[in-house]
Amino acid sequence: FYKAGPKETQHINYWLTDNCFGDYYTRKGLNYAERELMTFCYLAAQGGVEPQLTSHAKANMRNGNSREFLIKVISQNIPYIGYPRSLNALRCVNQAAAEMKKDQDSK
C-alpha cells in the first residue's frame, strides 16, 4: 500500500502504514475485532470520511463483527453522533456488505 499512488504522495502512505499498522495494530490488549469496532465508531463520529468508514466496515465484517452487529452499534451511537452521521454510517455498512457479497459471488 505505501508504494501506491503518485510518487509525490507516497510518503503519506508510508507514514500511515508505519504508524497505524507498525504501531497501533501490533499493540496488545485488544483483538482485531475490537480494534476495528473502535475505529469504525471513531470514523462514524468524525464524519466526512465515508471511504475509510466503508473500508473499516469491511474489516469489521472480515473480523467477525457482522452487518447486523454494526447496525446495532450505529443505533446505540445515534444520541452521540446524530442522525446524519448515523445514516452515513449505515450506508457505508450496506455498501461494504454488498461489495463483499459481490466479491464472494465472483469467486
Side-chain angles (χ1 to χ4, degrees):
F1 166 78
Y2 75 90
K3 292 182 180 178
K7 183 80 171 157
E8 66 271 10
T9 61
Q10 286 180 0
H11 65 284
I12 297 170
N13 293 345
Y14 176 79
W15 292 341
L16 172 67
T17 303
D18 185 51
N19 183 247
C20 289
F21 303 110
D23 183 12
Y24 304 132
Y25 275 79
T26 60
R27 294 179 184 178
K28 306 290 184 226
L30 298 174
N31 63 38
Y32 288 126
E34 293 165 337
R35 291 170 198 238
E36 280 299 336
L37 183 58
M38 290 178 65
T39 302
F40 178 83
C41 288
Y42 291 133
L43 290 172
Q46 185 174 353
V49 293
E50 285 72 23
Q52 293 80 6
L53 187 57
T54 302
S55 176
H56 283 280
K58 285 182 191 177
N60 266 277
M61 290 184 261
R62 283 193 300 268
N63 281 287
N65 294 329
S66 69
R67 175 185 170 274
E68 293 76 17
F69 178 72
L70 292 175
I71 291 170
K72 290 176 184 177
V73 168
I74 293 166
S75 300
Q76 183 66 32
N77 281 307
I78 289 172
Y80 308 104
I81 68 175
Y83 283 100
R85 288 186 177 161
S86 297
L87 292 171
N88 286 344
L90 179 59
R91 183 181 53 77
C92 291
V93 166
N94 287 331
Q95 179 181 340
E99 289 174 8
M100 290 178 73
K101 183 176 181 339
K102 182 180 174 185
D103 290 345
Q104 288 174 348
D105 290 346
S106 68
K107 290 182 181 178

